[in-house]
Amino acid sequence: MVKKASVYENVTRQFNKAADLMGLDTDIRKILAKTTNEISINFPVEMDDGHIEMFAGYRVQHNSVLGPYKGGLRYHPKVDLDEVRALATWMTWKSAIVDIPYGGAKGGIQIDPFKYSISELEHITRRFTFALRQYIGPEYDIPAPDVNTNSQIMAWILDTYLSTIPPKERHCSIHVVTGKPVESGGSLGRNKATGQGVVFCIEEWAKDNNFDLNGATYTVQGFGNVGSWAARLLKPHGAKLIAVEDITGAIHNTKGLDPDNLTEFVKEHGGVANYPDSKKIDHKTFLSTEADIFIPAALEGVITGETAPLLNVKLVAEGANGPTNIMGDEILQKRGIHLIPDILCNAGGVMVSYFEWLQNKRSEYWELEEVDAKLHKKITMAYKRVRDTAKKFNTDWRTAAYIVALTRLEKVYKERGIFP
Ligand code: NAD
């Protein structure tokens, strides 16, 4: 049996394909093919009943030539060094594509957060932050939310970090983390930013392809931050959500599922299963649903050699990181299914994280309209850069997105040289 490629092996293959096609400088290729720092921390936490549990946490810093390391923290049982390494590497490409002065990092804890009480999650978060504090910092490495982490967890990280630094540095350090609650220094528009970026990309794709979003159908996998916001923001275009899958199951309704009601339902019940206005379907049926657009917004490795032939859509807009592996990509291309790759499509999150960071550094609060307008301008420009690069190199959009990123990084390394 052929061994399945790991998440990081997929990143390496994507990278090699683009580097070969663009003729990336061989020395710079060696640098970018490696991560810079990989931090593994095992730490104990006392549970509510007094017993101690050990947890494994990670932070991988891939590259910082463009600016401070930046990337989310994930709480999930499948978090391991391989996955975090892949996610950190994608962050470097993402920031380079959308032209923001950040490098790439990612982290997480190998944990099923649903098994723990709120107070246990707070202790786990604070203890991990305490262990990580020497490796992060407002001008060095800035975490943000990812799968199963949110603004509350960012607030605990902020408070723990600020409590461990000298008092005089506290008020100029709140940009150590982004995706904070607005009252604690977060930005308006950050919560919806990734979903908003996905929708801005879909709007551009629709314009380019003379496609009318009014009446179009779409399916979404993952109805958390990214998936639910993308669904809600597509609704005003007149597009119809017909199937959704999350960890609790998959549901379908050809007449349309209301994204706002579904979001409220998920908040109350913890998932989409048993949503009243829907029929339960299995995973295979969900993936085979005929629709115009599929938004994967859950985890990696959903569109593979086995599942790509099932898809029945015109466009895949990747809200999640790494939902499509190399085999999946090849099949989608052969089948003429368009794809807006993750490192472009979900970059709205890191862009508004950057805006939050800037607001914190300048002690400013921007209006939502300002945040949205800046996000729209930047992600649209990035979309066009990737589209034009795909044409220039006669290649797929993922490879084009890599070429945009690698071209920028190559230029910077060539200008600066390698110390000493
Ligand atoms: P989240 O925790 O808010 O939501 C995750 C969703 O995925 C949930 O609905 C969960 O039920 C679902 N899910 C988990 N396992 C699943 C499975 N096996 N099958 C089907 N559904 C499953 O996470 P999020 O922040 O929305 O992140 C989703 C994806 O988007 C991740 O790949 C993340 O890295 C990426 N992303 C997030 C952001 C951000 O700002 N939050 C930014 C860029 C990219």
mmCIF file of all heavy atoms in Angstrom, residues 29-75:
data_model
loop_
_atom_site.group_PDB
_atom_site.id
_atom_site.type_symbol
_atom_site.label_atom_id
_atom_site.label_comp_id
_atom_site.label_asym_id
_atom_site.label_seq_id
_atom_site.Cartn_x
_atom_site.Cartn_y
_atom_site.Cartn_z
ATOM 1 N N ARG A 29 16.168 28.537 -2.210
ATOM 2 C CA ARG A 29 15.287 27.370 -2.091
ATOM 3 C C ARG A 29 15.641 26.537 -0.857
ATOM 4 O O ARG A 29 14.774 26.056 -0.131
ATOM 5 C CB ARG A 29 15.444 26.551 -3.357
ATOM 6 C CG ARG A 29 14.518 25.392 -3.461
ATOM 7 C CD ARG A 29 14.624 24.818 -4.864
ATOM 8 N NE ARG A 29 13.852 23.613 -4.971
ATOM 9 C CZ ARG A 29 13.279 23.181 -6.082
ATOM 10 N NH1 ARG A 29 13.397 23.868 -7.190
ATOM 11 N NH2 ARG A 29 12.603 22.077 -6.109
ATOM 12 N N LYS A 30 16.951 26.400 -0.610
ATOM 13 C CA LYS A 30 17.398 25.613 0.558
ATOM 14 C C LYS A 30 16.894 26.261 1.852
ATOM 15 O O LYS A 30 16.492 25.579 2.788
ATOM 16 C CB LYS A 30 18.930 25.580 0.621
ATOM 17 C CG LYS A 30 19.577 24.659 -0.385
ATOM 18 C CD LYS A 30 21.089 24.697 -0.198
ATOM 19 C CE LYS A 30 21.781 24.572 -1.541
ATOM 20 N NZ LYS A 30 23.150 25.081 -1.557
ATOM 21 N N ILE A 31 16.946 27.593 1.895
ATOM 22 C CA ILE A 31 16.533 28.301 3.123
ATOM 23 C C ILE A 31 15.026 28.135 3.352
ATOM 24 O O ILE A 31 14.577 27.782 4.438
ATOM 25 C CB ILE A 31 16.863 29.809 3.022
ATOM 26 C CG1 ILE A 31 18.359 30.019 2.816
ATOM 27 C CG2 ILE A 31 16.347 30.566 4.243
ATOM 28 C CD1 ILE A 31 18.740 31.443 2.450
ATOM 29 N N LEU A 32 14.256 28.373 2.283
ATOM 30 C CA LEU A 32 12.795 28.382 2.439
ATOM 31 C C LEU A 32 12.215 26.983 2.628
ATOM 32 O O LEU A 32 11.079 26.838 3.093
ATOM 33 C CB LEU A 32 12.142 29.077 1.234
ATOM 34 C CG LEU A 32 12.447 30.576 1.132
ATOM 35 C CD1 LEU A 32 11.919 31.152 -0.176
ATOM 36 C CD2 LEU A 32 11.853 31.341 2.320
ATOM 37 N N ALA A 33 12.998 25.976 2.281
ATOM 38 C CA ALA A 33 12.516 24.593 2.441
ATOM 39 C C ALA A 33 12.557 24.138 3.896
ATOM 40 O O ALA A 33 12.069 23.056 4.230
ATOM 41 C CB ALA A 33 13.359 23.653 1.587
ATOM 42 N N LYS A 34 13.154 24.957 4.769
ATOM 43 C CA LYS A 34 13.286 24.562 6.188
ATOM 44 C C LYS A 34 12.551 25.530 7.096
ATOM 45 O O LYS A 34 12.437 26.718 6.782
ATOM 46 C CB LYS A 34 14.770 24.591 6.594
ATOM 47 C CG LYS A 34 15.625 23.572 5.874
ATOM 48 C CD LYS A 34 15.528 22.227 6.535
ATOM 49 C CE LYS A 34 16.399 21.209 5.805
ATOM 50 N NZ LYS A 34 15.973 19.847 6.021
ATOM 51 N N THR A 35 12.118 25.027 8.245
ATOM 52 C CA THR A 35 11.596 25.926 9.267
ATOM 53 C C THR A 35 12.776 26.450 10.093
ATOM 54 O O THR A 35 13.822 25.797 10.162
ATOM 55 C CB THR A 35 10.618 25.177 10.203
ATOM 56 O OG1 THR A 35 11.309 24.057 10.743
ATOM 57 C CG2 THR A 35 9.398 24.683 9.456
ATOM 58 N N THR A 36 12.593 27.618 10.732
ATOM 59 C CA THR A 36 13.698 28.203 11.512
ATOM 60 C C THR A 36 13.751 27.613 12.922
ATOM 61 O O THR A 36 14.795 27.141 13.357
ATOM 62 C CB THR A 36 13.542 29.730 11.589
ATOM 63 O OG1 THR A 36 13.425 30.231 10.265
ATOM 64 C CG2 THR A 36 14.734 30.385 12.266
ATOM 65 N N ASN A 37 12.633 27.685 13.637
ATOM 66 C CA ASN A 37 12.595 27.183 15.017
ATOM 67 C C ASN A 37 11.392 26.276 15.212
ATOM 68 O O ASN A 37 10.295 26.597 14.731
ATOM 69 C CB ASN A 37 12.451 28.340 16.015
ATOM 70 C CG ASN A 37 13.578 29.341 15.896
ATOM 71 O OD1 ASN A 37 14.755 28.977 15.926
ATOM 72 N ND2 ASN A 37 13.235 30.608 15.731
ATOM 73 N N GLU A 38 11.604 25.198 15.939
ATOM 74 C CA GLU A 38 10.487 24.297 16.254
ATOM 75 C C GLU A 38 10.483 24.065 17.762
ATOM 76 O O GLU A 38 11.402 23.456 18.296
ATOM 77 C CB GLU A 38 10.658 22.970 15.506
ATOM 78 C CG GLU A 38 10.659 23.179 13.990
ATOM 79 C CD GLU A 38 10.566 21.890 13.193
ATOM 80 O OE1 GLU A 38 10.785 20.815 13.782
ATOM 81 O OE2 GLU A 38 10.266 21.968 11.997
ATOM 82 N N ILE A 39 9.476 24.597 18.418
ATOM 83 C CA ILE A 39 9.437 24.544 19.886
ATOM 84 C C ILE A 39 8.383 23.515 20.315
ATOM 85 O O ILE A 39 7.223 23.624 19.913
ATOM 86 C CB ILE A 39 9.082 25.947 20.442
ATOM 87 C CG1 ILE A 39 10.129 26.971 19.965
ATOM 88 C CG2 ILE A 39 8.977 25.935 21.963
ATOM 89 C CD1 ILE A 39 9.559 28.254 19.477
ATOM 90 N N SER A 40 8.813 22.539 21.096
ATOM 91 C CA SER A 40 7.878 21.538 21.648
ATOM 92 C C SER A 40 7.887 21.681 23.157
ATOM 93 O O SER A 40 8.963 21.691 23.762
ATOM 94 C CB SER A 40 8.362 20.115 21.349
ATOM 95 O OG SER A 40 8.257 19.848 19.996
ATOM 96 N N ILE A 41 6.719 21.787 23.740
ATOM 97 C CA ILE A 41 6.657 21.984 25.193
ATOM 98 C C ILE A 41 5.682 20.983 25.814
ATOM 99 O O ILE A 41 4.525 20.919 25.401
ATOM 100 C CB ILE A 41 6.165 23.424 25.522
ATOM 101 C CG1 ILE A 41 7.142 24.466 24.947
ATOM 102 C CG2 ILE A 41 6.013 23.608 27.018
ATOM 103 C CD1 ILE A 41 6.599 25.879 24.976
ATOM 104 N N ASN A 42 6.151 20.204 26.767
ATOM 105 C CA ASN A 42 5.240 19.352 27.547
ATOM 106 C C ASN A 42 5.009 20.057 28.878
ATOM 107 O O ASN A 42 5.970 20.430 29.546
ATOM 108 C CB ASN A 42 5.866 17.980 27.787
ATOM 109 C CG ASN A 42 6.020 17.228 26.480
ATOM 110 O OD1 ASN A 42 5.070 17.096 25.712
ATOM 111 N ND2 ASN A 42 7.220 16.760 26.186
ATOM 112 N N PHE A 43 3.757 20.257 29.217
ATOM 113 C CA PHE A 43 3.501 21.036 30.441
ATOM 114 C C PHE A 43 2.349 20.429 31.248
ATOM 115 O O PHE A 43 1.395 19.899 30.694
ATOM 116 C CB PHE A 43 3.220 22.509 30.103
ATOM 117 C CG PHE A 43 2.059 22.719 29.170
ATOM 118 C CD1 PHE A 43 0.809 23.076 29.656
ATOM 119 C CD2 PHE A 43 2.218 22.569 27.796
ATOM 120 C CE1 PHE A 43 -0.269 23.273 28.794
ATOM 121 C CE2 PHE A 43 1.144 22.753 26.923
ATOM 122 C CZ PHE A 43 -0.096 23.106 27.416
ATOM 123 N N PRO A 44 2.470 20.525 32.599
ATOM 124 C CA PRO A 44 1.420 19.961 33.469
ATOM 125 C C PRO A 44 0.369 21.006 33.830
ATOM 126 O O PRO A 44 0.677 22.183 33.970
ATOM 127 C CB PRO A 44 2.215 19.588 34.722
ATOM 128 C CG PRO A 44 3.331 20.595 34.770
ATOM 129 C CD PRO A 44 3.609 21.045 33.372
ATOM 130 N N VAL A 45 -0.885 20.563 33.970
ATOM 131 C CA VAL A 45 -1.944 21.470 34.425
ATOM 132 C C VAL A 45 -2.827 20.726 35.428
ATOM 133 O O VAL A 45 -3.161 19.560 35.220
ATOM 134 C CB VAL A 45 -2.812 21.956 33.233
ATOM 135 C CG1 VAL A 45 -3.903 22.909 33.720
ATOM 136 C CG2 VAL A 45 -1.965 22.631 32.165
ATOM 137 N N GLU A 46 -3.179 21.440 36.492
ATOM 138 C CA GLU A 46 -4.059 20.838 37.490
ATOM 139 C C GLU A 46 -5.513 20.965 37.032
ATOM 140 O O GLU A 46 -5.986 22.051 36.689
ATOM 141 C CB GLU A 46 -3.870 21.552 38.841
ATOM 142 C CG GLU A 46 -4.617 20.875 39.957
ATOM 143 C CD GLU A 46 -4.379 21.568 41.307
ATOM 144 O OE1 GLU A 46 -3.313 22.182 41.506
ATOM 145 O OE2 GLU A 46 -5.290 21.490 42.150
ATOM 146 N N MET A 47 -6.229 19.852 37.011
ATOM 147 C CA MET A 47 -7.627 19.836 36.575
ATOM 148 C C MET A 47 -8.555 20.237 37.725
ATOM 149 O O MET A 47 -8.135 20.311 38.871
ATOM 150 C CB MET A 47 -8.002 18.432 36.063
ATOM 151 C CG MET A 47 -7.171 17.958 34.884
ATOM 152 S SD MET A 47 -7.553 18.873 33.366
ATOM 153 C CE MET A 47 -6.153 19.926 33.228
ATOM 154 N N ASP A 48 -9.841 20.446 37.404
ATOM 155 C CA ASP A 48 -10.808 20.907 38.415
ATOM 156 C C ASP A 48 -10.861 19.997 39.646
ATOM 157 O O ASP A 48 -11.033 20.459 40.765
ATOM 158 C CB ASP A 48 -12.225 20.970 37.809
ATOM 159 C CG ASP A 48 -12.349 22.098 36.784
ATOM 160 O OD1 ASP A 48 -11.449 22.972 36.753
ATOM 161 O OD2 ASP A 48 -13.332 22.098 36.015
ATOM 162 N N ASP A 49 -10.695 18.672 39.433
ATOM 163 C CA ASP A 49 -10.795 17.749 40.576
ATOM 164 C C ASP A 49 -9.457 17.532 41.288
ATOM 165 O O ASP A 49 -9.342 16.685 42.163
ATOM 166 C CB ASP A 49 -11.371 16.396 40.113
ATOM 167 C CG ASP A 49 -10.418 15.665 39.165
ATOM 168 O OD1 ASP A 49 -9.315 16.186 38.904
ATOM 169 O OD2 ASP A 49 -10.776 14.565 38.701
ATOM 170 N N GLY A 50 -8.441 18.296 40.891
ATOM 171 C CA GLY A 50 -7.158 18.246 41.601
ATOM 172 C C GLY A 50 -6.114 17.350 40.962
ATOM 173 O O GLY A 50 -4.940 17.433 41.312
ATOM 174 N N HIS A 51 -6.489 16.484 40.011
ATOM 175 C CA HIS A 51 -5.450 15.640 39.398
ATOM 176 C C HIS A 51 -4.709 16.427 38.316
ATOM 177 O O HIS A 51 -5.190 17.450 37.803
ATOM 178 C CB HIS A 51 -6.030 14.315 38.873
ATOM 179 C CG HIS A 51 -6.625 14.403 37.506
ATOM 180 N ND1 HIS A 51 -7.877 14.891 37.272
ATOM 181 C CD2 HIS A 51 -6.119 14.056 36.282
ATOM 182 C CE1 HIS A 51 -8.136 14.842 35.975
ATOM 183 N NE2 HIS A 51 -7.075 14.348 35.348
ATOM 184 N N ILE A 52 -3.506 15.928 37.989
ATOM 185 C CA ILE A 52 -2.638 16.638 37.031
ATOM 186 C C ILE A 52 -2.697 15.932 35.682
ATOM 187 O O ILE A 52 -2.667 14.702 35.618
ATOM 188 C CB ILE A 52 -1.166 16.612 37.530
ATOM 189 C CG1 ILE A 52 -1.039 17.210 38.940
ATOM 190 C CG2 ILE A 52 -0.215 17.269 36.533
ATOM 191 C CD1 ILE A 52 -1.146 18.695 39.016
ATOM 192 N N GLU A 53 -2.771 16.715 34.615
ATOM 193 C CA GLU A 53 -2.629 16.129 33.269
ATOM 194 C C GLU A 53 -1.475 16.806 32.553
ATOM 195 O O GLU A 53 -1.214 17.993 32.759
ATOM 196 C CB GLU A 53 -3.918 16.326 32.450
ATOM 197 C CG GLU A 53 -4.945 15.266 32.759
ATOM 198 C CD GLU A 53 -6.108 15.235 31.776
ATOM 199 O OE1 GLU A 53 -5.911 15.543 30.581
ATOM 200 O OE2 GLU A 53 -7.206 14.904 32.233
ATOM 201 N N MET A 54 -0.792 16.012 31.718
ATOM 202 C CA MET A 54 0.306 16.569 30.904
ATOM 203 C C MET A 54 -0.228 16.877 29.507
ATOM 204 O O MET A 54 -1.011 16.113 28.943
ATOM 205 C CB MET A 54 1.443 15.550 30.778
ATOM 206 C CG MET A 54 2.262 15.374 32.034
ATOM 207 S SD MET A 54 3.109 16.892 32.527
ATOM 208 C CE MET A 54 4.317 17.095 31.223
ATOM 209 N N PHE A 55 0.219 17.977 28.920
ATOM 210 C CA PHE A 55 -0.198 18.368 27.566
ATOM 211 C C PHE A 55 1.036 18.625 26.702
ATOM 212 O O PHE A 55 2.082 19.037 27.210
ATOM 213 C CB PHE A 55 -1.047 19.647 27.615
ATOM 214 C CG PHE A 55 -2.341 19.439 28.345
ATOM 215 C CD1 PHE A 55 -2.419 19.660 29.713
ATOM 216 C CD2 PHE A 55 -3.467 18.989 27.680
ATOM 217 C CE1 PHE A 55 -3.600 19.446 30.404
ATOM 218 C CE2 PHE A 55 -4.654 18.770 28.358
ATOM 219 C CZ PHE A 55 -4.729 19.001 29.720
ATOM 220 N N ALA A 56 0.864 18.377 25.395
ATOM 221 C CA ALA A 56 1.945 18.672 24.442
ATOM 222 C C ALA A 56 1.536 19.889 23.619
ATOM 223 O O ALA A 56 0.469 19.898 22.994
ATOM 224 C CB ALA A 56 2.170 17.466 23.525
ATOM 225 N N GLY A 57 2.387 20.919 23.651
ATOM 226 C CA GLY A 57 2.117 22.138 22.870
ATOM 227 C C GLY A 57 3.271 22.414 21.933
ATOM 228 O O GLY A 57 4.421 21.998 22.182
ATOM 229 N N TYR A 58 2.974 23.107 20.831
ATOM 230 C CA TYR A 58 3.992 23.373 19.808
ATOM 231 C C TYR A 58 3.913 24.817 19.318
ATOM 232 O O TYR A 58 2.827 25.409 19.296
ATOM 233 C CB TYR A 58 3.779 22.466 18.580
ATOM 234 C CG TYR A 58 3.725 21.003 18.923
ATOM 235 C CD1 TYR A 58 2.501 20.361 19.136
ATOM 236 C CD2 TYR A 58 4.897 20.261 19.070
ATOM 237 C CE1 TYR A 58 2.438 19.021 19.473
ATOM 238 C CE2 TYR A 58 4.842 18.919 19.415
ATOM 239 C CZ TYR A 58 3.612 18.304 19.617
ATOM 240 O OH TYR A 58 3.559 16.987 19.950
ATOM 241 N N ARG A 59 5.046 25.342 18.912
ATOM 242 C CA ARG A 59 5.086 26.570 18.130
ATOM 243 C C ARG A 59 6.199 26.380 17.102
ATOM 244 O O ARG A 59 7.351 26.097 17.480
ATOM 245 C CB ARG A 59 5.390 27.790 19.015
ATOM 246 C CG ARG A 59 5.295 29.135 18.279
ATOM 247 C CD ARG A 59 3.875 29.555 18.043
ATOM 248 N NE ARG A 59 3.758 30.828 17.330
ATOM 249 C CZ ARG A 59 2.620 31.261 16.758
ATOM 250 N NH1 ARG A 59 1.507 30.556 16.838
ATOM 251 N NH2 ARG A 59 2.587 32.416 16.124
ATOM 252 N N VAL A 60 5.853 26.490 15.838
ATOM 253 C CA VAL A 60 6.871 26.397 14.788
ATOM 254 C C VAL A 60 6.969 27.758 14.109
ATOM 255 O O VAL A 60 5.957 28.350 13.726
ATOM 256 C CB VAL A 60 6.522 25.288 13.765
ATOM 257 C CG1 VAL A 60 7.493 25.326 12.593
ATOM 258 C CG2 VAL A 60 6.570 23.916 14.428
ATOM 259 N N GLN A 61 8.212 28.244 13.992
ATOM 260 C CA GLN A 61 8.460 29.524 13.320
ATOM 261 C C GLN A 61 9.178 29.202 12.017
ATOM 262 O O GLN A 61 10.299 28.698 12.024
ATOM 263 C CB GLN A 61 9.301 30.416 14.242
ATOM 264 C CG GLN A 61 8.525 30.756 15.527
ATOM 265 C CD GLN A 61 9.378 31.265 16.671
ATOM 266 O OE1 GLN A 61 10.576 30.979 16.741
ATOM 267 N NE2 GLN A 61 8.757 31.996 17.582
ATOM 268 N N HIS A 62 8.490 29.431 10.911
ATOM 269 C CA HIS A 62 9.060 29.013 9.628
ATOM 270 C C HIS A 62 10.066 30.025 9.102
ATOM 271 O O HIS A 62 11.218 29.672 8.833
ATOM 272 C CB HIS A 62 7.946 28.779 8.593
ATOM 273 C CG HIS A 62 8.480 28.532 7.212
ATOM 274 N ND1 HIS A 62 8.375 29.454 6.195
ATOM 275 C CD2 HIS A 62 9.160 27.495 6.688
ATOM 276 C CE1 HIS A 62 8.961 28.967 5.105
ATOM 277 N NE2 HIS A 62 9.443 27.779 5.382
ATOM 278 N N ASN A 63 9.662 31.281 8.942
ATOM 279 C CA ASN A 63 10.561 32.262 8.336
ATOM 280 C C ASN A 63 10.152 33.657 8.782
ATOM 281 O O ASN A 63 8.960 33.928 8.911
ATOM 282 C CB ASN A 63 10.456 32.145 6.802
ATOM 283 C CG ASN A 63 11.482 33.014 6.097
ATOM 284 O OD1 ASN A 63 11.317 34.214 5.994
ATOM 285 N ND2 ASN A 63 12.565 32.399 5.639
ATOM 286 N N SER A 64 11.131 34.542 9.001
ATOM 287 C CA SER A 64 10.780 35.897 9.442
ATOM 288 C C SER A 64 11.488 36.964 8.621
ATOM 289 O O SER A 64 11.685 38.077 9.097
ATOM 290 C CB SER A 64 11.109 36.076 10.928
ATOM 291 O OG SER A 64 12.500 36.036 11.107
ATOM 292 N N VAL A 65 11.840 36.643 7.384
ATOM 293 C CA VAL A 65 12.591 37.634 6.619
ATOM 294 C C VAL A 65 11.731 38.858 6.283
ATOM 295 O O VAL A 65 12.236 39.965 6.172
ATOM 296 C CB VAL A 65 13.247 37.006 5.352
ATOM 297 C CG1 VAL A 65 12.231 36.728 4.259
ATOM 298 C CG2 VAL A 65 14.369 37.891 4.826
ATOM 299 N N LEU A 66 10.421 38.678 6.187
ATOM 300 C CA LEU A 66 9.557 39.816 5.839
ATOM 301 C C LEU A 66 9.047 40.562 7.071
ATOM 302 O O LEU A 66 8.502 41.656 6.949
ATOM 303 C CB LEU A 66 8.353 39.350 5.009
ATOM 304 C CG LEU A 66 8.656 38.722 3.645
ATOM 305 C CD1 LEU A 66 7.361 38.318 2.948
ATOM 306 C CD2 LEU A 66 9.442 39.672 2.754
ATOM 307 N N GLY A 67 9.170 39.965 8.252
ATOM 308 C CA GLY A 67 8.661 40.618 9.463
ATOM 309 C C GLY A 67 8.482 39.598 10.566
ATOM 310 O O GLY A 67 8.853 38.429 10.414
ATOM 311 N N PRO A 68 7.863 40.022 11.693
ATOM 312 C CA PRO A 68 7.695 39.106 12.832
ATOM 313 C C PRO A 68 6.935 37.838 12.432
ATOM 314 O O PRO A 68 6.096 37.866 11.534
ATOM 315 C CB PRO A 68 6.857 39.906 13.821
ATOM 316 C CG PRO A 68 6.890 41.308 13.363
ATOM 317 C CD PRO A 68 7.292 41.336 11.933
ATOM 318 N N TYR A 69 7.224 36.747 13.126
ATOM 319 C CA TYR A 69 6.478 35.503 12.913
ATOM 320 C C TYR A 69 5.016 35.751 13.257
ATOM 321 O O TYR A 69 4.721 36.464 14.219
ATOM 322 C CB TYR A 69 7.009 34.399 13.826
ATOM 323 C CG TYR A 69 8.453 34.028 13.568
ATOM 324 C CD1 TYR A 69 9.450 34.333 14.496
ATOM 325 C CD2 TYR A 69 8.809 33.354 12.402
ATOM 326 C CE1 TYR A 69 10.765 33.979 14.270
ATOM 327 C CE2 TYR A 69 10.141 32.991 12.171
ATOM 328 C CZ TYR A 69 11.108 33.302 13.104
ATOM 329 O OH TYR A 69 12.414 32.947 12.885
ATOM 330 N N LYS A 70 4.131 35.156 12.469
ATOM 331 C CA LYS A 70 2.701 35.389 12.700
ATOM 332 C C LYS A 70 1.923 34.143 12.355
ATOM 333 O O LYS A 70 2.160 33.527 11.320
ATOM 334 C CB LYS A 70 2.234 36.536 11.785
ATOM 335 C CG LYS A 70 0.793 36.911 11.965
ATOM 336 C CD LYS A 70 0.621 37.936 13.066
ATOM 337 C CE LYS A 70 -0.817 38.204 13.436
ATOM 338 N NZ LYS A 70 -1.376 37.244 14.404
ATOM 339 N N GLY A 71 0.972 33.772 13.204
ATOM 340 C CA GLY A 71 0.135 32.619 12.880
ATOM 341 C C GLY A 71 -0.666 32.149 14.075
ATOM 342 O O GLY A 71 -0.343 32.450 15.223
ATOM 343 N N GLY A 72 -1.703 31.389 13.795
ATOM 344 C CA GLY A 72 -2.674 30.998 14.811
ATOM 345 C C GLY A 72 -2.214 29.904 15.752
ATOM 346 O O GLY A 72 -1.130 29.329 15.605
ATOM 347 N N LEU A 73 -3.079 29.647 16.733
ATOM 348 C CA LEU A 73 -2.894 28.544 17.684
ATOM 349 C C LEU A 73 -4.114 27.650 17.576
ATOM 350 O O LEU A 73 -5.241 28.136 17.647
ATOM 351 C CB LEU A 73 -2.812 29.078 19.114
ATOM 352 C CG LEU A 73 -1.512 29.730 19.563
ATOM 353 C CD1 LEU A 73 -1.664 30.196 21.013
ATOM 354 C CD2 LEU A 73 -0.324 28.791 19.441
ATOM 355 N N ARG A 74 -3.882 26.363 17.404
ATOM 356 C CA ARG A 74 -4.963 25.395 17.208
ATOM 357 C C ARG A 74 -5.048 24.463 18.408
ATOM 358 O O ARG A 74 -4.010 24.005 18.894
ATOM 359 C CB ARG A 74 -4.646 24.615 15.929
ATOM 360 C CG ARG A 74 -5.602 23.513 15.615
ATOM 361 C CD ARG A 74 -5.303 22.864 14.274
ATOM 362 N NE ARG A 74 -5.563 23.753 13.157
ATOM 363 C CZ ARG A 74 -5.655 23.348 11.884
ATOM 364 N NH1 ARG A 74 -5.479 22.078 11.579
ATOM 365 N NH2 ARG A 74 -5.893 24.214 10.913
ATOM 366 N N TYR A 75 -6.261 24.160 18.868
ATOM 367 C CA TYR A 75 -6.458 23.152 19.914
ATOM 368 C C TYR A 75 -7.185 21.980 19.264
ATOM 369 O O TYR A 75 -8.386 22.090 18.953
ATOM 370 C CB TYR A 75 -7.328 23.701 21.053
ATOM 371 C CG TYR A 75 -6.662 24.731 21.958
ATOM 372 C CD1 TYR A 75 -5.369 25.186 21.721
ATOM 373 C CD2 TYR A 75 -7.337 25.238 23.069
ATOM 374 C CE1 TYR A 75 -4.774 26.121 22.555
ATOM 375 C CE2 TYR A 75 -6.748 26.172 23.915
ATOM 376 C CZ TYR A 75 -5.464 26.606 23.645
ATOM 377 O OH TYR A 75 -4.885 27.534 24.477
#
